[in-house]
Amino acid sequence: MNYKVPCILLLISVSLYYLLSPAPPLSDEQLTTHLKDKVVLICGASSGIGEELAYQLARHGAKLVLVARNQDKLDVVKEGVVKLGATDVQTISFDFSDVKGSSGVINQTIAWFGKLDYLVSNHAAMIQGAFLGFPHQQEPDFIERIFRVNLFSQIELAVHALPHLEASKGHMFFTSSGAGETPFFSMAIYCSTKHALNGFFYSLQQELMARESPVSLTVGAFGFIKTKDLSQLIINEDGENAMNIPAWATGDVKECARGMIESYISRPPTMTYPKLSNNLGRAMWYFLPVPTFHNAMMGASKRPGAVGNGYQESLDFVNDGREKMEKLKFQQGYGPN
């Protein structure tokens, strides 16, 4: 097969994205001026991107509501943001698989602060492992639960936050993934929820524009972000990166959180991070033949020393990671019972 055309298209697409990138970064002073005393609700705030986001917003004087399932972890984050100077911080322990109860998170925020300026819907159940290789993933109740967390609760939050955000001319940010735009090997359920999230919220962007609403909405198209928990999960016994993810394709959690904060002001429809790896994935998916793309994704996920396509080794890798996940209390409740 002649790869010249797809390679040229890939180069053009990546080059155009960088040429048309958003405005230069905002200064700390500009961010503080804009964010001081603003009420920010962060869902999925006990670790990872949400935790870092809370720390950075605290430095800019925002009032925070931090939501996650684990109250102990939330207490640690709250202690950290208070040390950074935050004076108005509240926490809510909540499981977003309770879709109808999600509206209570909005109601409680309004009860505390009387307004809402920014909604950050950052929570997610990150399901890994081949769909056909793990029988629990094939159970309808399990699939529905993941959709409740990754999609239905996010829609519920948007519905109930919208009147308050219209009053404050605020902004919504929904954390999605490159897996919401292209298929990822061994992540069928996660990909399906993120594709659905993208479909809904990009459609909602159109409706907000048609209504001439003062509320804007950003979808975060994120790749692999090197958070503290994920860093510990992917390091094997030899201290090596067991997921074979190159440094150029890895995002920094501090840089990612900073970009999210700046999006509250610049209000782009999409925030892509890391740019190069995500845009490369997009270009490959749209310009390469599908079998070629699939083979590339399987090859990128193949474990060292794996046999054939490495399917069994991919199952073993997920099983080996479960003990680490339990120890870190990371993504608890989303594996087999």
Side-chain angles (χ1 to χ4, degrees):
M1 177 192 168
N2 186 349
Y3 290 98
K4 184 178 291 184
V5 171
C7 287
I8 292 173
L9 290 171
L10 186 154
L11 180 61
I12 291 172
S13 65
V14 174
S15 300
L16 282 175
Y17 185 85
Y18 277 95
L19 287 172
L20 300 174
S21 288
L26 299 168
S27 68
D28 287 339
E29 292 75 16
Q30 287 174 303
L31 290 178
T32 299
T33 298
H34 188 87
L35 292 168
K36 186 172 177 57
D37 294 327
K38 292 291 196 298
V39 177
V40 186
L41 169 59
I42 308 174
C43 302
S46 63
S47 63
I49 298 170
E51 178 182 5
E52 177 61 30
L53 192 61
Y55 296 148
Q56 293 194 26
L57 286 167
R59 295 187 184 99
H60 295 297
K63 299 178 180 180
L64 302 174
V65 179
L66 311 177
V67 188
R69 292 181 297 165
N70 190 311
Q71 185 62 53
D72 291 340
K73 283 189 170 185
L74 282 174
D75 290 341
V76 172
V77 178
K78 180 177 180 178
E79 182 180 352
V81 298
V82 168
K83 286 181 179 178
L84 291 170
T87 56
D88 291 306
V89 186
Q90 300 289 345
T91 64
I92 301 174
S93 176
F94 184 75
D95 185 341
F96 280 104
S97 64
D98 176 8
V99 176
K100 289 185 177 179
S102 301
S103 61
V105 171
I106 304 295
N107 295 337
Q108 187 60 62
T109 299
I110 300 303
W112 279 325
F113 294 110
K115 68 169 185 171
L116 175 63
D117 294 294
Y118 301 110
L119 167 64
V120 183
S121 194
N122 177 65
H123 60 283
M126 192 175 68
I127 307 304
Q128 290 186 296
F131 178 75
L132 298 178
F134 293 98
H136 74 279
Q137 290 195 27
Q138 302 159 33
E139 293 294 328
D141 287 347
F142 179 83
I143 296 171
E144 182 185 342
R145 181 169 187 232
I146 304 308
F147 268 87
R148 290 202 304 266
V149 174
N150 287 8
L151 177 64
F152 303 152
S153 65
Q154 315 229 16
I155 295 173
E156 186 78 355
L157 286 169
V159 167
H160 290 275
L162 192 55
H164 305 291
L165 292 171
E166 287 188 327
S168 65
K169 298 181 180 179
H171 185 71
M172 296 186 281
F173 191 106
F174 293 89
T175 300
S176 187
S177 167
E181 300 179 25
T182 65
F184 273 49
F185 177 61
S186 291
M187 298 186 74
I189 293 179
Y190 182 75
C191 279
S192 64
T193 63
K194 292 301 185 180
H195 273 74
L197 184 145
N198 283 7
F200 180 85
F201 285 108
Y202 281 124
S203 296
L204 186 60
Q205 283 180 351
Q206 296 174 354
E207 191 167 345
L208 291 172
M209 291 171 65
R211 283 164 49 102
E212 298 183 358
S213 171
V215 178
S216 53
L217 186 162
T218 296
V219 175
F222 294 163
F224 183 82
I225 310 298
K226 194 175 181 181
T227 63
K228 180 174 62 179
D229 286 342
L230 284 179
S231 296
Q232 293 180 63
L233 283 172
I234 67 172
I235 299 301
N236 62 22
E237 295 177 354
D238 299 322
E240 299 171 337
N241 183 337
M243 289 186 71
N244 304 321
I245 301 174
W248 62 265
T250 302
D252 177 77
V253 68
K254 295 181 184 295
E255 191 173 76
C256 180
R258 174 71 177 222
M260 292 173 72
I261 292 173
E262 291 188 6
S263 77
Y264 306 163
I265 302 171
S266 59
R267 303 192 174 202
T270 305
M271 175 191 161
T272 300
Y273 184 81
K275 288 181 181 179
L276 181 56
S277 58
N278 273 25
N279 282 294
L280 183 62
R282 286 169 176 152
M284 289 174 65
W285 174 236
Y286 285 112
F287 299 140
L288 292 178
V290 171
T292 303
F293 178 87
H294 289 339
N295 283 322
M297 294 300 287
M298 288 187 293
S301 303
K302 194 172 180 179
R303 310 260 69 79
V307 178
N309 287 328
Y311 186 77
Q312 183 57 52
E313 287 81 1
S314 74
L315 304 182
D316 295 339
F317 177 75
V318 173
N319 281 323
D320 292 344
R322 284 186 179 144
E323 185 177 341
K324 281 187 177 180
M325 291 177 75
E326 287 296 322
K327 185 177 180 180
L328 293 169
K329 297 182 179 180
F330 179 74
Q331 293 282 311
Q332 287 182 307
Y334 299 132
N337 293 328

